Amino acid sequence: MSARGREPTHRPAVLVVNTRSGGGKVSRFRLIERAERLGAQVTVIGEGQSASSLAQAAIEQGAEVLGVAGGDGTVSAVAAVAAATGHPLLVIPAGTRNHFARDLGLDIRNPARALPALLHADSARVDLGVVGSRVFVNNVSFGIYAEALLEPGYREAKARTLASIAPAYIEGQHRVEATVDTPWEAIDFPQVVLVSNNPYQLSPPRRVGCRFALDTGLLGALVIKRPPEPPDLLPTLHRALRQQAGADPAETGVITWSAPQVVLHGAVPRLPAGIDGEPIELSLPVRCEIRPGALRVLVPKRRTGVRRRLTRPADFGVGG
C-alpha cells in the first residue's frame, strides 16, 4: 500500500483509449469527451499502433498520470509502462469482462464512474503478474477451457459451444503440451492451467473468479488434471471448483494453490497461451512470477463495487 499523504494537484494526465474494446463502450458512454472535459489528454489507439508505445510516448512528453480505457489486455500493456516508469495508473473499465477493474472495486457497468479519479483519487499499491517479458493484471491461461472456467455468469450459448467440441477435449486433443510443477506432484499434460495475479475466489458460485485482494504477493494457480464428462461440462467444472476446499484432488481432478512462482516445462518449443485474454505463444520453460506492489493505481473515492479496503488517501488532479 502507498504511504499516507497529499499528492500535488494539476498533474498532466494522458488517457490511452481502445475504441474497439467492449463493443463500443467508449462511444456509448462518451468517455473521450468526458475525459477531455476533466482536463485529460486523450490518445486513441490507431491501426498499427500499440497501447504500450502510446503510453511510453505520453511519458516522454511529460505525462505524470497514465490512464487507460479498454479491456484487460489493453490495461496490462499500459500497466507495464506505468510500473516500469513509476507512474500511477487510472483504469477506465471499457472492455468486455474487465476483471482487473472489477477487482479494484470499479463499476464495470458504467465506466464513466471511474473518470472522477482524474480530479480526486485514492491511491494504492497492487501486485502485477509477469510471464517472460509480459505483464498480466488478470491471468495467464493454458488450455481451451481456462477462460470459460472462471466466468461466474457464463451464457448458455457459450456452454453449448464448448460442449460441441467436448469429444475432442475428452480424447485429450486439447491438453496442454507441458508439465506443470505443483506443491504435491508434477502434472503431465493437464487439461487446463490457469495462473492469476493473486488468487481467485472459488466459492460461492457468484464469486467464482473474483479476487478480494490484489496485494497478497502471491499468484493463484489452478490445474485440471482430467476433463469432466459431457454433457454438463461447465457445470461439472464449477462444482469441482466449489468442492475443492478440503477435497481430495485425486477425486476432483482439480488442484489449486498459491505461490510466488509457477513453472511449466516440456519438450515442445512454444506453448499457446492467453495473457489477459490476448493469444500468444510462449517459449518453454514458462515462468510465471509475481511482483508485489509493482503498480500504483488511482481509483475514485466512491467505488460502488469495492469489496475490501484498498486505498490510502491521496489527492490527484490534472491541469485544465
Side-chain angles (χ1 to χ4, degrees):
M1 293 290 188
S2 60
R4 291 180 179 271
R6 292 181 62 85
E7 296 283 345
T9 57
H10 303 294
R11 298 163 63 96
V14 173
L15 182 66
V16 178
V17 175
N18 187 347
T19 57
R20 297 183 294 274
S21 294
K25 284 184 180 178
V26 169
S27 174
R28 189 160 68 252
F29 288 93
R30 298 171 48 243
L31 297 179
I32 293 176
E33 296 90 335
R34 289 180 173 185
E36 290 177 335
R37 194 178 304 133
L38 292 173
Q41 178 184 336
V42 175
T43 179
V44 176
I45 303 171
E47 191 69 31
Q49 294 180 313
S50 69
S52 57
S53 64
L54 292 177
Q56 187 62 52
I59 295 298
E60 294 170 358
Q61 293 166 15
E64 295 185 28
V65 174
L66 282 177
V68 56
D72 285 325
T74 306
V75 170
S76 63
V78 178
V81 176
T85 59
H87 286 70
L89 180 73
L90 187 153
V91 177
I92 311 298
T96 301
R97 296 182 179 87
N98 305 294
H99 291 285
F100 185 60
R102 175 197 63 194
D103 295 337
L104 285 174
L106 302 180
D107 186 345
I108 63 174
R109 294 169 298 180
N110 184 353
R113 289 186 174 177
L115 287 172
L118 284 166
L119 296 180
H120 300 287
D122 286 331
S123 171
R125 286 277 179 184
V126 298
D127 305 336
L128 285 178
V130 180
V131 55
S133 61
R134 294 283 297 269
V135 159
F136 59 95
V137 296
N138 183 34
N139 66 41
V140 182
S141 58
F142 307 87
I144 197 165
Y145 285 91
E147 281 302 315
L149 192 63
L150 291 173
E151 285 300 315
Y154 63 88
R155 299 182 180 90
E156 291 183 5
K158 180 185 292 185
R160 286 196 297 269
T161 300
L162 294 177
S164 70
I165 56 174
Y169 178 65
I170 296 300
E171 292 168 9
Q173 296 179 21
H174 295 305
R175 68 184 188 179
V176 179
E177 295 293 323
T179 297
V180 58
D181 296 326
T182 80
W184 301 276
E185 60 179 320
I187 306 298
D188 296 322
F189 309 120
Q191 296 295 319
V192 166
V193 179
L194 191 141
V195 181
S196 58
N197 171 24
N198 281 261
Y200 288 126
Q201 291 291 120
L202 299 180
S203 65
R206 66 189 182 91
R207 296 298 191 193
V208 168
C210 294
R211 292 165 292 180
F212 290 173
L214 290 170
D215 58 2
T216 67
L218 294 171
L219 299 169
L222 181 148
V223 173
I224 296 181
K225 299 171 62 174
R226 63 174 186 274
E229 296 292 334
D232 62 341
L233 200 57
L234 281 176
T236 299
L237 288 174
H238 278 269
R239 282 197 298 273
L241 288 176
R242 294 198 298 271
Q243 295 167 359
Q244 181 60 23
D248 183 356
E251 297 179 1
T252 64
V254 179
I255 299 175
T256 62
W257 74 99
S258 300
Q261 177 177 269
V262 177
V263 179
L264 290 81
H265 50 87
V268 297
R270 299 180 70 82
L271 194 64
I275 299 180
D276 287 334
E278 302 291 331
I280 192 174
E281 289 193 342
L282 298 171
S283 298
L284 289 169
V286 174
R287 295 185 183 276
C288 302
E289 299 175 310
I290 195 81
R291 290 183 182 170
L295 179 66
R296 185 156 54 116
V297 292
L298 304 181
V299 293
K301 290 181 176 293
R302 294 183 179 180
R303 300 187 309 286
T304 59
V306 69
R307 299 186 182 92
R308 68 182 185 94
R309 182 169 177 80
L310 177 74
T311 61
R312 299 286 189 182
D315 276 339
F316 285 79
V318 299

